[in-house]
Amino acid sequence: MDQGLALRKMTEGCPEWCKFSSWEEVLSRVPKGSVLGPLLFLVFINDMDDQVEAIICIMRKFADDTKLGKTVKDEKDQEEMQEALDKLCDWAEQWGMMFNVSKCKVMNMGHANPKYEYTMAGQKLETTTEERDIGVIISANMKPSAQCAKAAQTAQGVLGQITRAFHYRVRHVYMRLYKQYVRPHLEFSTQAWSPWTEADKACLEKVQQRAVKQISGLTSTDYEERLAELGLPTLEERRHQADMCMVHKILQAKGGLCRETWFEMADSGARVTRSTADPLNLKVKHSRRDIRKHFFSQRVIESWNKIPNKVRGITKCQDFQKAYRKLRADLLQSA
């Protein structure tokens, strides 16, 4: 990365009273792994959005990955999408940071998608149906089956290594190894890809079933009874609790999350009902398709509204997690 170009971008638009040293040509570049490198990189890509903000609906940047999104229904939409790609290529050429076109791909989503072709720098972009995004596999059909299969495969591999290393599996040691090295693979970012089909749920649950079955000294033979003996919930129950904790975190505006982006409070409407009278309730949204119905912002609403106010009103996230965990344990025990 050229430091001279980065510093020039930093000084653009500064007031006249600012004083700077004279310009000198910088022949060296920022070494990889330096403290200054990430800052200069952010300065470089900070104005990328300005090139396409009037054309593109979605633009997300994470480190050196950039993603564009736009609803394309006809040739006019396709031309606007292509125009955005051309503007980004012009921006990259201007600032000397060219895109690696061979790694750029197009993912067409939706049954009615016309699936137009796009180019960057004169090269046709490859079409893909699956792509990994920050550790999660995103499929064109928006179903989490591929992610579930990959998570289960990775977890099974780690569990196999632990099994081969420990022939006598003492309960407390084996459980600690399972919780630390196996289960995280099954639960990483489940708010984004929580499964809803029985096949995908079973794909993940089988890993825990295998782990529990291999623990020495258990008297029970049934999976649920073994979990009760170990004090373990099912993975489906843990995903549910993780969803509720995330809703609480969003509503409490923790971690920079904006509540209005995800939810609408029930009392924001004009119609007064039993549901809207409660200020802690979320507005129920109806969905036509199963995929939309199982998105995080949709699937959690009814479950959240059923939680007692004395639990929902807790402000600290850790206290809420403990209180809701106890509530669910009492409900499952009485069921």
Side-chain angles (χ1 to χ4, degrees), residues 10-197:
M10 292 177 67
T11 57
E12 285 182 354
C14 293
E16 296 181 357
W17 51 264
C18 291
K19 300 296 182 180
F20 301 97
S21 60
S22 58
W23 288 98
E24 294 290 339
E25 184 178 1
V26 179
L27 301 179
S28 61
R29 298 180 180 272
V30 179
K32 185 176 181 180
S34 66
V35 177
L36 187 60
L39 174 61
L40 294 182
F41 181 78
L42 292 177
V43 172
F44 246 83
I45 67 173
N46 190 48
D47 64 340
M48 188 189 302
D49 306 54
D50 300 338
Q51 313 300 316
V52 296
E53 62 180 356
I55 307 173
I56 295 299
C57 303
I58 300 173
M59 183 171 184
R60 297 291 184 267
K61 296 177 291 186
F62 182 81
D64 59 346
D65 290 334
T66 304
K67 297 175 179 61
L68 306 179
K70 180 178 175 61
T71 302
V72 178
K73 297 181 178 180
D74 49 33
E75 293 184 0
K76 180 182 178 181
D77 295 331
Q78 186 269 344
E79 292 173 357
E80 291 179 351
M81 187 67 179
Q82 184 61 57
E83 180 185 356
L85 294 174
D86 294 339
K87 287 187 175 182
L88 289 178
C89 290
D90 294 340
W91 173 91
E93 184 176 359
Q94 177 185 358
W95 293 105
M97 185 178 288
M98 304 302 295
F99 291 102
N100 189 340
V101 181
S102 62
K103 292 185 178 180
C104 297
K105 299 179 181 179
V106 178
M107 180 179 290
N108 297 304
M109 298 181 176
H111 297 290
N113 194 307
K115 299 181 180 180
Y116 292 111
E117 295 181 352
Y118 300 94
T119 61
M120 288 186 69
Q123 300 183 39
K124 178 183 174 181
L125 294 181
E126 181 183 350
T127 302
T128 182
T129 57
E130 290 183 0
E131 198 68 24
R132 183 178 293 274
D133 185 12
I134 318 180
V136 177
I137 299 177
I138 306 298
S139 302
N141 58 11
M142 297 303 293
K143 294 181 179 180
S145 300
Q147 173 62 26
C148 292
K150 179 60 178 178
Q153 180 184 12
T154 304
Q156 289 279 21
V158 177
L159 182 61
Q161 294 176 353
I162 296 175
T163 303
R164 290 189 293 271
F166 296 87
H167 296 286
Y168 184 75
R169 295 129 196 168
V170 183
R171 180 183 304 188
H172 69 279
V173 175
Y174 199 77
M175 286 301 301
R176 180 175 295 183
L177 292 172
Y178 167 73
K179 291 179 179 179
Q180 185 169 353
Y181 296 107
V182 179
R183 197 167 63 181
H185 292 289
L186 303 172
E187 297 181 336
F188 171 72
S189 192
T190 53
Q191 290 83 357
W193 57 271
S194 182
W196 63 84
T197 64

